Amino acid sequence: MTTPQVRRGLVLGAGGVLGAAWTIGALAAVREEYDWDPREAEVLIGTSAGSVLASALGCGIGVETLLNHQQGVVAPGDPRIEYDTDKGTGGALPPLPRLGIGTARGVLNSALHPRKVTPMGALAAVLPQGRGSMAPVGQLVDGVLPDGGWAPHPQLWVVAMDYDNGRRVAFGREASPPAELRDAVMASCSIPGWYAPVRIGERRYVDGGTCSPTSLDLVAGLGLDEVVVLSPMTSLTFDRPTSVGARIERRFRRLVTRRLLGEMRKVAATGTKVTMLGPGAEDLAVIGANLMDPRRRERVLTTSLRTSAAALRPSGSGPLAEAG
């Protein structure tokens, strides 16, 4: 008798430079513990840093290549990824933003329709426009998809937020605005106040993490058997940092985690099992307060390789949540 194939989705969340490093460690653990290639996910959803990794997978780049790139290794046969993991985002701190509020239309829309815009979306409209450039990320996508267009994966969705109305857009999804993959990924990564909004067609877009850390709820009703969620901005166990910056980050992290748990319940109610993994206390101690600080990247990756594998084992007791 043939074993039915599991219909599995993969959702990769926002998290900056260090979130990407943590996620690659977690992807390596998922590949080993599930004996499953994440490129085979029926649906791939990426937000912000997660959009870069989801897009690479959707273009056929394997986890081993992503891991080698993070470690500065070019193995024989690996496709070359043209991206400097320590300098590509411009550094640990943003350049000085432009003067004035970011988008007057966005502020007005938030005031007129407060229930349709997330608090982070409303804040994004008020913050001054950033001056940072996502061009290096666009060049990375060009390297893995040299002919342009969209990824060959049939259901790769890249999440961004419409800058002027606060609405979530999943590029690549049916009925969403058309976009080149490079532009969608740059938009998904454009942190408000840090990077300039990305224009696609007649609209401007910013980081999809302003709407949700993962947009897991987009898979509700797709009939998947399981969805694996790797979310570097959410945690189920915490450290006890002493710095003011890290304590503020942990408070924000708790709020974001609460939102994701709500999305998990929504998806589980449709009959899809949800397995969510985020950084635990040991990971957070290495991450510190600033997810954009590349100086911690290698330590975050090394820690995640170990802690994520331990959490996913059947006997594991790490920061893993399941629903459904």
Side-chain angles (χ1 to χ4, degrees):
M1 178 180 292
T2 303
T3 303
Q5 185 175 2
V6 175
R7 297 184 60 204
R8 183 179 287 134
L10 179 65
V11 175
L12 305 180
V17 173
L18 301 186
W22 177 89
T23 301
I24 289 172
L27 279 169
V30 166
R31 182 193 56 187
E32 295 303 316
E33 298 301 322
Y34 279 66
D35 190 23
W36 172 68
D37 188 336
R39 290 176 291 185
E40 297 175 357
E42 184 169 324
V43 180
L44 278 168
I45 299 178
T47 301
S48 197
S51 76
V52 179
L53 303 180
S55 295
L57 294 171
C59 290
I61 304 297
V63 173
E64 193 66 31
T65 299
L66 295 174
L67 184 57
N68 285 340
H69 180 253
Q70 278 282 320
Q71 296 172 326
V73 175
V74 180
D78 270 0
R80 189 168 184 85
I81 299 177
E82 298 292 344
Y83 182 75
D84 189 322
T85 50
D86 293 326
K87 297 179 181 179
T89 56
L93 297 174
L96 289 175
R98 301 181 184 278
L99 296 177
I101 62 172
T103 164
R105 283 185 290 176
V107 172
L108 179 61
N109 184 73
S110 298
L112 294 175
H113 310 285
R115 294 185 179 182
K116 294 184 178 180
V117 181
T118 65
M120 286 295 293
L123 178 62
V126 174
L127 288 174
Q129 285 190 34
R131 294 180 184 269
S133 172
M134 278 284 108
V137 170
Q139 292 164 7
L140 183 160
V141 177
D142 287 340
V144 300
L145 190 68
D147 294 329
W150 199 255
H153 191 285
Q155 290 199 86
L156 167 67
W157 301 346
V158 172
V159 182
M161 185 188 81
D162 188 306
Y163 191 41
D164 294 315
N165 64 27
R167 294 177 183 171
R168 179 175 63 182
V169 176
F171 291 106
R173 191 184 188 194
E174 188 177 356
S176 290
E180 295 277 314
L181 183 61
R182 70 182 316 275
D183 295 331
V185 173
M186 288 193 297
S188 184
C189 293
S190 293
I191 303 170
W194 192 310
Y195 298 103
V198 174
R199 184 172 292 278
I200 300 176
E202 299 298 319
R203 311 293 298 180
R204 299 180 297 171
Y205 299 90
V206 293
D207 197 311
T210 55
C211 297
S212 166
T214 65
S215 285
L216 166 63
D217 58 308
L218 292 178
V219 308
L222 294 182
L224 298 175
D225 297 310
E226 181 182 12
V227 58
V228 176
V229 186
L230 303 181
S231 179
M233 284 185 66
T234 60
S235 296
L236 299 173
T237 61
F238 289 84
D239 60 342
R240 295 185 177 181
T242 56
S243 74
V244 173
R247 288 202 295 264
I248 292 173
E249 196 274 352
R250 302 303 184 266
R251 288 193 178 189
F252 175 74
R253 184 174 287 271
R254 284 182 168 88
L255 293 174
V256 171
T257 301
R258 193 176 306 159
R259 179 183 177 94
L260 178 54
L261 291 174
E263 292 183 3
M264 287 180 63
R265 289 190 291 270
K266 177 180 178 180
V267 173
T270 67
T272 296
K273 178 183 177 182
V274 183
T275 300
M276 188 277 283
L277 179 64
E282 189 175 351
D283 300 287
L284 292 177
V286 180
I287 288 172
N290 183 359
L291 282 160
M292 297 295 287
D293 186 353
R295 295 171 297 179
R296 295 171 174 259
R297 180 184 57 79
E298 292 183 15
R299 285 179 291 161
V300 170
L301 173 65
T302 300
T303 304
S304 176
L305 285 167
R306 176 170 44 79
T307 57
S308 298
L312 288 169
R313 293 185 189 118
S315 59
S317 58
L320 182 74
E322 294 183 335

